[in-house]
């Protein structure tokens, strides 16, 4: 069972999301929060698999709440998905950098919402949609000069190649096909890279690939 916490200051938004999620046999809504402070408290109390987090809330906003959840070792298994009205949003990019596993626009189709929750719950990140890659590309491109990260020195040449393809938005299966590997080997490479670099999930791996200058916005291997 996938356990979900809803965090949004609009009661009707929470009710709509709860209705969609609760109809699924494999998803359970275990709490609702009207602000970031409540969301953090519920994350500690319920230890959900996924928090659907509105980015703009009174008091403690979604960005700060996301940062507090993703940097707390006790909540390492909790994944945050940002809810936003506009996909091109500085705050969304900040939330991804802070540790969110992806984002969804609030008017997303029900099936996309359910897919997103399931993807994140199993440990993947919502980076496949083109809009997410565009968001990361847009704001990463605003940096005047990418700074090579010394953390990348820990990677082998193959791992750098795999990381570049992750940054371009390819799935494990797509990476396997591109490099003529088995899907299991591709997944192992990605997991090892995340461990070496100390990143939470694929979303942070994508951002690091852009911000270190490993790839540039619009690049495809």
């Amino acid at each position: 069972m996938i356990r979900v916490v809803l965090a949004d200051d609009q009661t009707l938004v929470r009710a709509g999301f709860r209705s969609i999620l609760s109809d699924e046999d494999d998803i359970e809504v275990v709490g609702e929060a009207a602000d970031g402070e409540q969301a953090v408290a519920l994350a500690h109390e319920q230890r959900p698999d996924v928090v659907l987090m509105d980015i703009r809330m009174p008091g403690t906003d979604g960005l700060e709440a996301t940062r507090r959840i993703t940097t707390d070792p006790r909540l390492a298994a909790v994944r945050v998905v940002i809810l936003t009205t506009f996909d091109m949003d500085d705050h969304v990019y900040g939330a991804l950098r802070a540790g969110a596993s992806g984002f969804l626009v609030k008017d997303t189709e029900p099936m996309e919402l359910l897919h997103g929750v399931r993807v994140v719950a199993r440990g993947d990140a919502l980076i496949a949609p083109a809009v997410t890659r565009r968001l990361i590309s847009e704001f990463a491109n605003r940096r005047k000069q990418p700074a090579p990260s010394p953390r990348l020195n820990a990677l082998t040449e193959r791992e750098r190649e795999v990381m570049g393809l992750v940054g371009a938005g390819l799935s494990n299966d797509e990476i396997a096909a591109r490099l003529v590997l088995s899907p299991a080997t591709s997944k192992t490479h990605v997991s090892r890279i995340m461990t070496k670099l100390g990143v939470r999930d694929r979303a942070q791996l994508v951002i690091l690939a852009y911000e270190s200058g490993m790839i540039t916005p619009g690049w495809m291997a």
Side-chain angles (χ1 to χ4, degrees), residues 71-200:
T71 57
D72 190 330
R74 295 169 296 177
L75 302 177
V78 178
R79 297 288 182 260
V80 178
V81 174
I82 294 298
L83 300 173
T84 181
T85 305
F86 306 104
D87 56 21
M88 298 306 290
D89 187 327
D90 284 345
H91 292 90
V92 174
Y93 182 64
L96 290 172
R97 294 192 74 231
S101 295
F103 78 95
L104 292 166
V105 290
K106 287 188 177 181
D107 61 355
T108 188
E109 294 294 326
M111 291 305 297
E112 187 175 351
L113 170 66
L114 296 171
H115 173 73
V117 168
R118 291 177 175 124
V119 164
V120 171
R122 68 172 180 250
D124 293 329
L126 283 177
I127 63 169
V131 68
T132 306
R133 296 197 298 273
R134 189 177 76 245
L135 175 87
I136 294 171
S137 297
E138 169 71 19
F139 294 110
N141 198 36
R142 294 181 184 181
R143 298 171 67 90
K144 293 182 179 179
Q145 181 64 45
S149 173
R151 295 156 68 189
L152 300 184
N153 294 335
L155 303 182
T156 66
E157 284 303 313
R158 173 61 91 184
E159 288 168 347
R160 285 171 176 267
E161 190 174 14
V162 170
M163 181 174 170
L165 294 173
V166 171
L170 274 65
S171 67
N172 287 344
D173 286 347
E174 290 168 334
I175 292 171
R178 182 71 63 91
L179 300 181
V180 194
L181 303 171
S182 71
T185 299
S186 173
K187 183 177 181 180
T188 297
H189 277 309
V190 174
S191 297
R192 186 175 295 127
I193 292 165
M194 289 193 293
T195 298
K196 284 186 176 182
L197 298 181
V199 298
R200 186 177 174 90

Side-chain angles (χ1 to χ4, degrees), residues 53-71:
M53 182 84 74
D54 183 20
I55 204 160
R56 289 184 169 86
M57 293 183 288
T60 301
D61 63 14
L63 180 59
E64 175 59 23
T66 296
R67 184 178 296 111
R68 286 166 58 180
I69 290 172
T70 59
T71 57

